[in-house]
Amino acid sequence: GAVVSQHPSWVICKSGTSVKIECRSLDFQATTMFWYRQFPKQSLMLMATSNEGSKATYEQGVEKDKFLINHASLTLSTLTVTSAHPEDSSFYICSARRGQSQTDTQYFGPGTRLTVL
Amino acid sequence: AQSVTQPDIHITVSEGASLELRCNYSYGATPYLFWYVQSPGQGLQLLLKYFSGDTLVQGIKGFEAEFKRSQSSFNLRKPSVHWSDAAEYFCAVGANGSSNTGKLIFGQGTTLQVKP
């Protein structure tokens, strides 16, 4: 149990276009989902935290108008990279947490590789 | 500010040898500590976690980790490494407290290579 999927697994887009990435918890309801960004050979950097039905909380330095996060249901969160540019190329990873407690385990998706040409 | 340091970027061990991956954290209070493993094409998988209690924590796949408050460390160990253990390993700290949503701060990761 506790499987998180992401779609697409990779995407290539032209500069200036928008890209939507989906994160789904397949066998549990996720009250909280997290979005991370990972650069090659580097750590995961938290971008934002989203709770179902409310606005996402963005980390300092993350542009909320560029990285739109929607958590419309307990099993789906989406990240939309608007007007993507080459510097947005990265590996985007989501995680989902079943409960409200800080000690509840986060389950991670396999990631989405975004390449902006 | 909270931070996590994994001093070793890359480690190579022979199959069957023992393994220790280092992790040091910086946090004012008692942290929640995690070790995750990342394999290509797969999501990060939780190996083990420490919140309180016994400082020696047993995890999956034969891994264990020991919390040492005096050294601000949470090193991951395995007595005998298997070729399938080759992957990227991340140590993470989760800040506790009422104002925190449970977000994780990750170390830079350690790439483990296993020689036959």
Side-chain angles (χ1 to χ4, degrees):
Chain A
V3 178
V4 176
S5 70
Q6 283 185 239
H7 179 81
S9 55
W10 59 268
V11 57
I12 301 173
C13 71
K14 293 182 179 180
S15 184
T17 61
S18 294
V19 175
K20 180 184 285 188
I21 301 170
E22 292 185 349
C23 176
R24 294 182 184 273
S25 55
L26 298 184
D27 51 2
F28 67 100
Q29 293 186 327
T31 56
T32 306
M33 287 185 170
F34 302 84
W35 286 95
Y36 296 84
R37 184 172 178 176
Q38 185 181 27
F39 291 99
K41 301 298 182 183
Q42 293 189 31
S43 181
L44 284 77
M45 301 297 294
L46 180 66
M47 299 174 66
T49 303
S50 74
N51 292 293
E52 185 265 338
S54 58
K55 290 184 179 180
T57 301
Y58 290 80
E59 294 297 301
Q60 192 172 10
V62 177
E63 299 176 61
K64 60 181 65 176
D65 294 330
K66 181 165 191 61
F67 299 100
L68 301 179
I69 291 172
N70 183 280
H71 193 165
S73 77
L74 287 171
T75 59
L76 173 64
S77 176
T78 60
L79 168 67
T80 301
V81 183
T82 63
S83 186
H85 291 283
E87 58 266 28
D88 299 323
S89 298
S90 190
F91 195 53
Y92 292 90
I93 301 173
C94 74
S95 70
R97 190 175 68 194
R98 194 193 310 257
Q100 296 278 10
S101 171
Q102 296 165 14
T103 60
D104 287 326
T105 297
Q106 287 186 36
Y107 298 95
F108 285 79
T112 297
R113 174 78 58 194
L114 170 63
T115 301
V116 185
L117 302 177
Chain B
Q2 305 135 33
S3 66
V4 179
T5 301
Q6 293 178 244
D8 305 305
I9 296 174
H10 190 278
I11 282 184
T12 301
V13 298
S14 298
E15 189 169 16
S18 64
L19 170 70
E20 182 170 36
L21 301 182
R22 296 184 290 166
C23 173
N24 294 99
Y25 67 89
S26 173
Y27 186 64
T30 299
Y32 298 151
L33 294 162
F34 306 80
W35 273 100
Y36 284 87
V37 60
Q38 184 182 35
S39 299
Q42 299 182 26
L44 275 75
Q45 182 182 23
L46 180 67
L47 289 175
L48 46 77
K49 58 187 177 183
Y50 171 79
F51 295 150
S52 65
D54 193 346
T55 56
L56 184 62
V57 181
Q58 300 298 321
I60 63 172
K61 303 184 179 185
F63 285 94
E64 66 177 27
E66 186 171 11
F67 170 60
K68 292 185 177 180
R69 184 189 301 275
S70 61
Q71 298 178 21
S72 297
S73 69
F74 189 57
N75 294 347
L76 181 72
R77 300 193 294 250
K78 186 169 184 177
S80 178
V81 170
H82 188 262
W83 63 268
S84 61
D85 294 323
E88 188 83 12
Y89 290 80
F90 290 95
C91 180
V93 61
N96 51 23
S98 59
S99 62
N100 182 267
T101 58
K103 64 181 183 181
L104 298 177
I105 309 296
F106 284 85
Q108 300 91 324
T110 298
T111 301
L112 173 64
Q113 184 178 1
V114 180
K115 293 190 300 184

